[in-house]
Amino acid sequence: MNYRFDIQYDGTRYGGWQRQKTTDNTIQGKIEEVLFRMTGSPVLIQGAGRTDAGVHALGQVANGHFDSRMSCEEICDYMNHYLPEDIEILRVSQVSERFHSRLNAREKLYRYRIGIGSHKNVFERKYLCPLHETYDVEAMEEAAGYLTGTHDFRSFCANKKMKKSTVRTIYEIRITELPKELQIDYRGDGFLYNMVRILTGTLIEIGRGSRKPEEIQAILEGRDRGLAGFTAPARGLTLVEVGY
Amino acid sequence: MNYRFDIQYDGTRYGGWQRQKTTDNTIQGKIEEVLFRMTGSPVLIQGAGRTDAGVHALGQVANGHFDSRMSCEEICDYMNHYLPEDIEILRVSQVSERFHSRLNAREKLYRYRIGIGSHKNVFERKYLCPLHETYDVEAMEEAAGYLTGTHDFRSFCANKKMKKSTVRTIYEIRITELPKELQIDYRGDGFLYNMVRILTGTLIEIGRGSRKPEEIQAILEGRDRGLAGFTAPARGLTLVEVGY
């Protein structure tokens, strides 16, 4: 049977989503451990988004094949009982054998949260990246306009040896001003390694005035990571939703 | 000069507000360290509420006497620069020489947050205490009615050797039902050691149906800590405001 998991986590303590050989301090590793305990045999799961160390999720999706006589609700309760308190299975559902959480994903929504102003936010500090300067939202929105659409995003990819296509489509970049917070939502068909964080770093540099919005076109055309802005810290980033 | 500090903190990592001889891992200790660095001499500060280990504050107030040629804003910026990211000075103001943050406090507002339902809250887990059962808010409100007013709260005080008066006045206990959360606000002229957490534990037991609201009267009259409910965990408690 093929099960789908909808998952929420605070990524602060973890080395990212993807299980590694050297450490099991990953979200995938923690979930697979619990599934092994439950089924008695190793279970591999696939996550829709391979979030980096420190990145959070409100709606990560994963799937895995195994057999169980428990109901979906019982599996969900079992998993939450044994998972650490910063990982939560929101829902378990049985899906078609062919469902693959990453390959079937049609779109993803990532949110980057920037804390504005001179005051820290002591309660949400692990989910916000602070920005102390004033910023120009109009310039950021203009730059976001250049980034939206189908482009080769090689300049925004941290993997320099990427052999596969670096063409992606961003459907929307929405910038929302909240009290003491700026949120940037990225909706697209897929994102390259560190792409959302590099897009955010570049938008922040434009917002600060150290770059101009029009530079985006040259950055995209140059197909060179060195042309884009800094990689914004992981803590501000959350995988909000995966669409199928 | 006498300075007043309005302070916010996430108490998770600390051994409470009050400086101890054996450890400086306290909020008071951290702030005094920074003031020593700033002024070059030891500065003692007084906090309005001596919050326990793990208890948070949205609006703690403290005061301390020292001389400085910096403006209040400069002092605030300096302190926030050197304080850890889970302690934030919201405001520094110069007050009359006779102002004492604890002795002059007229009332305090504490909030206890209870997470409801089978799901954990991965992002706010350090600020909520979970309750998985169903509960009876009407019974809790009835009990809150018996607790409101001026009473001897010795049964709700964890310090068995308390020699001073244990009479306090609770102006209001307000219970608010939010989605997946129950908030209990306690407004009173002062609270004894662990009093808010014991009041909350008792209200939770009444909400669960394992005690009846009418028992409150006998608990108050008995003047014995053993009669009241359990001490609710520190993580759910926040000092919201101090009134002068």
Side-chain angles (χ1 to χ4, degrees), chain A residues 8-10 56-58 80 83-90 118-120 122-123 125-127 235, chain B residues 8-10 56-58 80 83-90 118-120 122-123 125-127 235:
Chain A
Q8 216 164 69
Y9 49 82
D10 174 340
H56 318 290
L58 280 167
N80 284 325
L83 282 169
E85 60 173 11
D86 43 11
I87 303 176
E88 164 82 4
I89 309 292
L90 296 176
S118 61
H119 284 295
K120 318 173 224 188
V122 300
F123 299 106
R125 66 191 190 282
K126 286 174 181 164
Y127 317 121
R235 67 200 294 183
Chain B
Q8 216 163 68
Y9 49 82
D10 175 341
H56 318 291
L58 280 166
N80 283 325
L83 280 169
E85 60 173 10
D86 43 11
I87 304 175
E88 165 81 4
I89 308 293
L90 297 175
S118 61
H119 284 296
K120 318 172 221 188
V122 300
F123 299 106
R125 65 190 188 283
K126 287 174 180 162
Y127 316 122
R235 68 201 292 186

Side-chain angles (χ1 to χ4, degrees), chain B residues 155-166:
Chain B
S155 297
F156 295 90
C157 177
N159 179 0
K160 287 182 185 164
K161 294 176 182 160
M162 178 76 171
K163 284 176 188 157
K164 296 183 202 161
S165 166
T166 46

Side-chain angles (χ1 to χ4, degrees), chain A residues 107-143:
Chain A
E107 66 171 50
K108 284 174 197 154
L109 174 61
Y110 277 96
R111 175 168 298 154
Y112 201 95
R113 298 177 60 191
I114 300 167
I116 296 297
S118 61
H119 284 295
K120 318 173 224 188
N121 182 322
V122 300
F123 299 106
E124 297 210 90
R125 66 191 190 282
K126 286 174 181 164
Y127 317 121
L128 288 167
C129 164
L131 177 66
H132 298 300
E133 298 109 304
T134 55
Y135 56 92
D136 178 347
V137 175
E138 271 179 45
M140 293 171 79
E141 278 173 342
E142 191 187 335

